[in-house]
Amino acid sequence: MRTSTKLIRLCAVVPAGLAGSFVAVIGLGFLPGEGLVFAFLGTLLVSLVLACGWLESPTARIFGFARGLRPGQRAVLDPSLALLEKLDLDPGRVLVRLDDDARLPATPIGRRTVIVEPWLVQGLYGRRLTTEDAATAIGHAVASQRVGPSRFDLAARLWALPWTLVFVVVRQIARMFSWVPAGGFAWHLRIVVGVIAVFQGFQPGGDPAIGVAAGVLVAISYIAPAADRAWRSVVQRDADRIVAQRGLAGSLIQLAQWQHGSASLERVQRIRAAAAERVPSTPPERAEGPAVDAAAGAQVLTLPTARR
């Protein structure tokens, strides 16, 4: 499974990296040839540093738009992190995102860093989420890091950054004009624009290089997201298995139902099957949670309602 995961991830990273390099060359076209060479060498050097695991903390803060935990947030998360340490799912570093959005409660980035959403900390502090709920969300992010190839995650993000910015801007513009009749339909048919650009590039007076480049970018806008979704699906399946066998299947099922709604049926079934295969020597599902909360003086609620 690790090999197939790496191959799928490669199909998402390589096209995005090539597209990012192309967009960067266009954006830095005002520089002389030496400037482009120095920019390329600088990017290559920084990516090698990131691939070696250095500068992960500041880079994760930039790419993840996050910051370190404040003392109060750390105190709220301490019981969950203590539970994860006992389950061997503790993260190396926890950051909190600066903006509050309806993303996953915890997202992996880099080799050992997990970014939590502000609403997760607030829900835990307001006792709308349990210690086990927060531990499940963070532990699932850690399990995703262990299953998926994360060594070159930040380096790949660096090379794909120009393309990512262009893709996000174009999608936001498409959403802004989604009220226009057939506006969303036009975005889904962008392949037609790519075919026309390639055709015009080979017409008399056209530029074949520009036509091919436009066609490649349009093709990547389909290939890279599809490969990324396939990779995340494989990683999610294996991470679900790890978390369920650690005794957090109940909270993981609730997380899946909140995330996917009625479409979570198959995922919930896989989680229950993985929990049924749990090794008997593993501590009981609820045995560790109350002990951790008692030590921290926190109250555990049985039904999390913040995510509904």
Side-chain angles (χ1 to χ4, degrees), residues 16-29 161-166 217:
L18 293 176
S21 302
F22 178 76
V23 172
V25 169
I26 295 178
L28 300 176
L161 180 60
W163 162 249
T164 303
L165 294 177
V166 171
L217 288 178

Side-chain angles (χ1 to χ4, degrees), residues 12-25 43 46 50 59 62-65 109 153-169:
V13 169
V14 172
L18 293 176
S21 302
F22 178 76
V23 172
V25 169
T43 305
V46 174
L50 296 177
T59 307
I62 295 174
F63 286 165
F65 198 55
I109 183 172
D153 180 39
L154 293 177
R157 289 172 185 260
L158 177 64
W159 283 99
L161 180 60
W163 162 249
T164 303
L165 294 177
V166 171
F167 187 76
V168 170
V169 169

Side-chain angles (χ1 to χ4, degrees), residues 95-119:
L95 304 177
V96 62
R97 204 178 299 274
L98 293 176
D99 61 331
D100 203 343
D101 200 355
R103 298 184 179 95
L104 291 176
T107 307
I109 183 172
R111 295 186 178 189
R112 295 171 50 82
T113 305
V114 172
I115 299 178
V116 300
E117 298 297 325
W119 62 262

Side-chain angles (χ1 to χ4, degrees), residues 106-109 113-115 135-146 239 243:
T107 307
I109 183 172
T113 305
V114 172
I115 299 178
T136 300
I138 300 175
H140 194 274
V142 174
S144 300
Q145 283 177 321
R146 296 179 182 179
V243 174

